[in-house]
Amino acid sequence: MKKNLLITGGGTAIAWHLSKVCNEFFSDKVNLIVTDINDEILVPSAIFAKKYYKTPFASDENYFSVIKKIILYNNVDIVIPIIPREAELLSSDSDFIISNSIVSAAPDIDTFHKLSDKNLLFDTLKKLNIPTPKIYKISEIEDDVKYFVKPANGFGSQGTGCYLGREIMNKVDDLENKVIQEYCMDKEYKEATVEIYNDKDELFIFARERVSTKAGVCVKTIPIDENIFYSYVKKLVSSFKLPYAFNVQFFYHNNSWKLFDCNLRLGAGTPLATAAGFQLTKALIAKLLGEKVDHSWFKINRKIRSILRVYDEVVI
C-alpha cells in the first residue's frame, strides 16, 4: 500500500528536487501531497503532487491548525518540513506527530533549538570544541571594527548585512533578535557546505565549496575533500539526535574552517550533491519509507570538477 507523504514549502528549490526524486524513484510507493503559500499554478512541485493545498505563512498564528487539518484529512504517514518554523511545529517528538504515528523528517525540539538558534549554536559548538566564528555582545563592539549581523533564527540569507560597530545601533532593526558575529570575509575567505547522511553508526558526507551564490542559493560549486570536516560532523552526530539528512556550513578564516550554520534539513543546494552522485535525497525518502538505503548511493564521482546550477522552465 502506498504511503501518504507531505512536503511543505512546495515553492522552494529543495521541494522541487524532493518531488522530482519521489516521482522518479518512489511513485509506486508514495502518494505525494504538497503545500505552499502560493496558488497551485505558481508552485512547480505541484505538478508531481496527487493533492495540493495553499496554506498561510508558517509564522501565521493559524498555520498549525491548517496544516494539522491537512495532515489528518489525508492520513499523512510521513512529513518533510522545509521551512524552519514548520520543522519546529512538526518536530519528531511533538505530541501531534507522536500521537498520530507520523514519521517526521524534522529533529526533536531540543535539538532544533540548540542548533538552529545562532546564539545557542555558538555555545554548543564551543562546548564541543568545534571551531566557530566569535559572537559579540552589544557592549563589546568597537566603533571602527566591521561586523557581520544576521538573525538569530534566520532562513537563507535574509536579513543579513555587514556594518561598522558605530552603525549597528542606528542601522540594524530588531537588534535584540540578531547576532553580531566577527567579520571574516577577507582575501582568504571561502565557504563550504557539507551534506550529511546520518543513521546510527552510518555516516556519509559530501563537501563542496560554494563558488557563487544568488539570493543565498549556491549556483556554482566545486567538490572538495570531505575528510577535512569528518571529525567535526562526527562530534555533532555523536552529541545530538540529528535527522537522517541535513547539512552544515563552514567558512575558511585565519587558516581554519569554522562552522557557522547548521541546517537540520535538506537545503536548496542539496541537488548539487545529487548531481555529483551523492544521493542524499533518495536515501532520506527511502529511510522514511522504512526501505533499505544502499551505500552505493553515496558513491561520489571523483572525476567531477564542478557542479553548476541552471534553471528549468515548468509549464502548469
Side-chain angles (χ1 to χ4, degrees), residues 123-150:
D123 294 336
T124 298
L125 295 176
K126 294 298 286 184
K127 289 176 183 176
L128 293 176
N129 201 29
I130 296 175
T132 189
K134 180 176 173 55
I135 288 178
Y136 295 88
K137 298 176 183 178
I138 294 176
S139 60
E140 296 176 317
I141 61 176
E142 300 178 33
D143 284 352
D144 296 320
V145 175
K146 187 177 285 188
Y147 300 91
F148 183 67
V149 181
K150 59 184 179 181

Side-chain angles (χ1 to χ4, degrees), residues 87-248:
E88 184 177 21
L89 294 170
L90 300 169
S91 63
S92 59
D93 63 342
S94 73
D95 291 340
F96 174 72
I97 291 294
I98 292 173
S99 63
N100 288 284
S101 302
I102 299 165
V103 176
S104 174
D108 63 73
I109 196 65
D110 182 62
T111 298
F112 176 86
H113 286 146
K114 286 183 177 176
L115 297 182
S116 295
D117 183 285
K118 302 302 185 293
N119 287 304
L120 295 178
L121 175 63
F122 174 77
D123 294 336
T124 298
L125 295 176
K126 294 298 286 184
K127 289 176 183 176
L128 293 176
N129 201 29
I130 296 175
T132 189
K134 180 176 173 55
I135 288 178
Y136 295 88
K137 298 176 183 178
I138 294 176
S139 60
E140 296 176 317
I141 61 176
E142 300 178 33
D143 284 352
D144 296 320
V145 175
K146 187 177 285 188
Y147 300 91
F148 183 67
V149 181
K150 59 184 179 181
N153 291 282
F155 182 60
S157 297
Q158 299 174 20
T160 65
C162 299
Y163 303 90
L164 290 173
R166 63 173 174 269
E167 298 175 321
I168 290 176
M169 294 300 294
N170 296 323
K171 292 188 177 182
V172 179
D173 296 326
D174 196 25
L175 192 54
E176 62 272 16
N177 292 312
K178 298 286 177 66
V179 168
I180 304 170
Q181 181 181 288
E182 67 173 308
Y183 181 81
C184 301
M185 298 177 186
D186 51 21
K187 290 182 179 179
E188 65 174 2
Y189 180 86
K190 52 188 175 182
E191 287 186 14
T193 296
V194 182
E195 308 279 358
I196 301 160
Y197 179 77
N198 161 59
D199 183 17
K200 297 178 182 176
D201 295 328
E202 295 184 339
L203 179 62
F204 297 93
I205 69 173
F206 171 70
R208 53 184 177 81
E209 182 181 339
R210 291 159 59 96
V211 176
S212 178
T213 61
K214 290 183 179 179
V217 176
C218 183
V219 294
K220 297 180 182 180
T221 192
I222 297 173
I224 56 177
D225 182 10
E226 64 270 13
N227 293 311
I228 300 169
F229 310 99
Y230 190 88
S231 63
Y232 300 142
V233 174
K234 186 68 175 177
K235 281 185 181 181
L236 271 181
V237 301
S238 299
S239 303
F240 293 93
K241 186 179 179 182
L242 288 159
Y244 296 121
F246 68 103
N247 70 74
V248 293

Side-chain angles (χ1 to χ4, degrees), residues 1-3 22-31 289 291:
M1 181 180 292
K2 287 186 176 183
K3 292 188 176 180
C22 272
N23 183 65
E24 182 176 357
F25 297 106
F26 303 100
S27 60
D28 60 334
K29 298 179 176 68
V30 164
N31 292 317
L289 287 169
E291 298 195 345

